[in-house]
Amino acid sequence: MPELPEVETTLRGIKRELIGQKVMAVIIRQPRLRFPIPSEIEKELKGQVVENIERRAKYLLFKFKTGTLILHLGMSGRLCVLQDPPPPQKHDHVDIHFANHFTLRLTDPRRFGALLFTSSLAEKHPFLINLGPEPLTDQFDGDYLFNRSRGRKLTVKSYLMDGRIVVGVGNIYAAEALFLAKINPQKPAGKITRVKYQTLAKVIKSVLQSAIQQGGTTLKDFKKPSGQPGYFRIALQVYGRAGKPCTRCKSKLTSIRIGQRNTVYCPRCQKN
DNA sequence: AGAGGTACCTGGCAGC
DNA sequence: TGCTGCCAGGTACCTC
């Protein structure tokens, strides 16, 4: 499932082939993603040149002269750049053909992704306007997390996963970061000390950073028609390890639900 | 305004 | 084997 490191790796993988390229055709086979893909997209993009591709949170932004194509991969979405695209399969919902004979193919079995076009500034789009800082920038640090959490009663895990606070921390990284920072995921966000938040911000940055680095190496076959996703592999300490021994103290890892989300933690290492 | 719940969707798996 | 039911995941939007 695309988390921020994977979206970033996808961005790096597609940039080189697509920037400066002219769109020849947009083929929408299945418009019913999370939001219906507007049919005008085809007319809008045809003949236009990709000026740049950027990432904001888990959104990919394809910049054109007249506006921005906004793409979200949802939970199961994947992009491939293909030289000779094989016949589309069941979940290959969109193809964008370029003048250099590359095809950008969107595959999304669960159809939680989104594809839309805005002719105004993308950053002002309702989906993006309220997003918090990028976790890998200097704007995001322990003091920031501390300051914004004062008075907040929700659990620190839900707080971390709120995109208005910080983007790119999904269920997996929230659990991992809280384990590394030795913080109980159920603790109210407003009760966490400044020092703990400083540790937390640090581990969030380092875990995302190393995932991006590993994603970069595993995604080297990005263009292969096989379309192998090349998910980054990082050693997960708690996520998916409920009932197994804690890597630090050997206690049994516990699974609870926080905000309808499965949450694994070590009751001994993450007491406070 | 903050907190929590719901919807969207399908593949994969457990349990019968 | 074939069915049913549950779960995973991100996030916009709804309700209290």
Side-chain angles (χ1 to χ4, degrees):
Chain A
M1 290 113 240
E3 292 260 354
L4 184 133
E6 203 172 356
V7 179
E8 178 64 27
T9 308
T10 298
L11 170 72
R12 295 178 187 184
I14 65 176
K15 251 182 148 173
R16 198 178 7 177
E17 281 90 359
L18 301 187
I19 287 180
Q21 286 305 312
K22 188 197 272 186
V23 174
M24 302 308 281
V26 181
I27 289 134
I28 301 168
R29 292 184 205 89
Q30 169 58 279
R32 293 181 57 243
L33 301 190
R34 173 135 200 254
F35 309 100
I37 302 176
S39 50
E40 309 88 79
I41 276 189
E42 176 158 18
K43 248 186 290 152
E44 192 65 57
L45 298 186
K46 205 170 167 179
Q48 285 216 62
V49 169
V50 180
E51 296 187 337
N52 202 4
I53 313 174
E54 297 163 12
R55 179 186 64 73
R56 174 71 176 109
K58 294 175 188 167
Y59 292 95
L60 287 173
L61 309 174
F62 295 75
K63 304 281 188 169
F64 294 93
K65 198 164 216 150
T66 63
T68 304
L69 184 72
I70 302 178
L71 172 77
H72 197 290
L73 295 173
M75 299 198 273
S76 57
R78 199 169 71 215
L79 283 178
C80 292
V81 176
L82 304 161
Q83 225 159 356
D84 287 300
Q89 313 258 305
K90 194 175 173 190
H91 303 298
D92 296 339
H93 305 315
V94 180
D95 278 356
I96 302 180
H97 298 302
F98 292 91
N100 60 355
H101 301 291
F102 280 117
T103 294
L104 180 68
R105 175 166 283 179
L106 172 66
T107 308
D108 186 4
R110 293 182 195 177
R111 311 216 315 259
F112 270 28
L115 187 64
L116 42 125
F117 186 85
T118 176
S119 45
S120 25
L121 197 63
E123 288 70 16
K124 298 273 152 114
H125 189 276
F127 289 2
L128 304 183
I129 186 107
N130 292 316
L131 292 177
E134 292 287 330
L136 296 176
T137 60
D138 291 341
Q139 274 180 63
F140 175 76
D141 61 14
D143 288 339
Y144 168 84
L145 279 178
F146 177 80
N147 292 334
R148 287 207 61 180
S149 63
R150 294 307 89 183
R152 299 293 303 269
K153 294 190 165 80
L154 83 173
T155 65
V156 62
K157 181 173 181 249
S158 298
Y159 174 70
L160 274 189
M161 290 175 65
D162 182 343
R164 291 165 299 186
I165 302 301
V166 59
V167 302
V169 183
N171 201 38
I172 296 172
Y173 289 115
E176 294 299 312
L178 289 166
F179 173 79
L180 293 172
K182 301 187 183 181
I183 296 170
N184 188 305
Q186 299 173 93
K187 187 157 177 167
K191 293 276 172 77
I192 309 267
T193 64
R194 188 187 289 273
V195 173
K196 279 283 185 188
Y197 272 129
Q198 276 156 355
T199 307
L200 187 55
K202 233 176 268 174
V203 301
I204 288 171
K205 284 171 191 280
S206 71
V207 82
L208 290 175
Q209 198 76 261
S210 69
I212 289 171
Q213 275 164 16
Q214 300 194 38
T217 60
T218 53
L219 265 177
K220 60 182 183 292
D221 58 346
F222 210 71
K223 281 190 297 188
K224 275 189 186 160
S226 63
Q228 288 302 311
Y231 287 135
F232 55 81
R233 309 244 173 266
I234 74 166
L236 298 173
Q237 312 272 323
V238 286
Y239 181 84
R241 295 195 62 243
K244 300 207 170 100
C246 169
T247 54
R248 237 175 350 222
C249 78
K250 310 290 179 226
S251 301
K252 208 175 181 184
L253 296 178
T254 303
S255 167
I256 55 171
R257 282 192 95 74
I258 296 177
Q260 342 282 91
R261 285 283 181 268
N262 189 30
T263 306
V264 184
Y265 75 108
C266 173
R268 186 149 156 219
C269 295
Q270 295 169 267
K271 261 201 186 113
N272 304 296

